[in-house]
Amino acid sequence: MSARKSQKEATRQRVLDAARELFETQGYETTTVREIATQAAVSVGSVFTTFSSKGEILSQVMADRLDALYAELDRVVPHLRGSTPDRLRSIFAIHYAFETRRTRLFLAHIAAAYNWALAPTSRPYGRTPRLKQVIRDCIAEGVTRGDVGPHIDLDLVVDALLASYAWTYRLAAWDDADAETMSAVMDRHIGLLADGFRPLQALSR
């Protein structure tokens, strides 16, 4: 790596480290690019040379974190047993346990999904295809095993599950709920949604 590329990568990492800390401690909305630059000991111009917007910085901060989450899921998911609802409960429990290590940062990630001015290059909650794919694969495997009906709209079920997952984080924002508490609520949501994706013959019994 050339000296210039090495310096650019070092600047990029300082910006991400500074942004991660500021988003976690004072929130995404209230954190300015100037504060990120000051914390990272770089100029504002250097920040914008590396990232197009604050939203893109948040997206990269989350992408770097989620690499570790998906590595854990890749290790655990192939060994899950039980019904599709039970497997979904395990997958979401892993998500809650991981994200509550930096709850405020994940709340910023969710909130960014509702920022109408966010640049198309940003990837807030809902634009992270790997998350959707993990859930979709689990349900699709349930169709193959026979405990999920082939009549279902996979994408609709995935959307409903991800909506429940994100909405449950209100408990963290309002009541400082922990991973176990939110997982218990999500377990009930999954049970309710499972009534809609079971095979039709099971529902008629």
Side-chain angles (χ1 to χ4, degrees):
M1 185 181 293
S2 68
R4 184 172 183 178
K5 285 184 178 179
S6 179
Q7 183 177 8
K8 185 174 181 179
E9 179 57 31
T11 297
R12 178 181 180 280
Q13 195 56 54
R14 284 202 301 272
V15 169
L16 291 173
D17 290 343
R20 184 185 304 108
E21 190 62 32
L22 289 169
F23 292 159
E24 169 72 12
T25 56
Q26 63 184 42
Y28 171 77
E29 291 296 337
T30 57
T31 297
T32 65
V33 172
R34 183 170 297 280
E35 287 174 320
I36 294 171
T38 300
Q39 179 97 345
V42 301
S43 68
V44 172
S46 292
V47 175
F48 282 117
T49 298
T50 311
F51 299 97
S52 64
S53 66
K54 187 174 72 168
E56 189 175 328
I57 296 172
L58 174 62
S59 295
Q60 191 58 56
V61 165
M62 291 306 300
D64 290 348
R65 288 194 74 244
L66 291 173
D67 282 346
L69 171 60
Y70 295 129
E72 185 174 352
L73 286 169
D74 286 344
R75 179 180 61 81
V76 172
V77 168
H79 303 288
L80 293 178
R81 297 293 180 265
S83 67
T84 296
D86 285 342
R87 295 178 191 216
L88 287 169
R89 289 180 178 108
S90 295
I91 289 170
F92 281 107
I94 291 170
H95 277 78
Y96 285 119
F98 182 87
E99 293 301 354
T100 49
R101 298 172 195 167
R102 283 185 175 267
T103 302
R104 291 179 183 175
L105 184 60
F106 193 67
L107 287 171
H109 183 55
I110 294 173
Y114 300 95
N115 181 351
W116 60 269
L118 208 61
T121 53
S122 300
R123 286 191 174 273
Y125 179 79
R127 282 190 190 167
T128 46
R130 185 73 190 282
L131 172 57
K132 287 185 174 182
Q133 196 61 49
V134 169
I135 305 306
R136 197 178 196 279
D137 287 348
C138 180
I139 300 167
E141 288 167 10
V143 174
T144 301
R145 285 194 310 274
D147 69 343
V148 174
H151 66 285
I152 68 160
D153 182 329
L154 272 174
D155 292 326
L156 184 63
V157 174
V158 171
D159 282 348
L161 287 164
L162 293 180
S164 288
Y165 174 62
W167 176 237
T168 302
Y169 274 93
R170 78 193 186 282
L171 302 174
W174 300 347
D175 303 324
D176 200 27
D178 59 14
E180 185 177 353
T181 299
M182 290 190 288
S183 290
V185 172
M186 186 66 187
D187 286 353
R188 294 197 294 275
H189 289 192
I190 291 170
L192 182 63
L193 291 168
D195 287 340
F197 64 63
R198 288 195 178 94
L200 293 176
Q201 61 268 28
L203 295 175
S204 63
R205 288 172 188 167

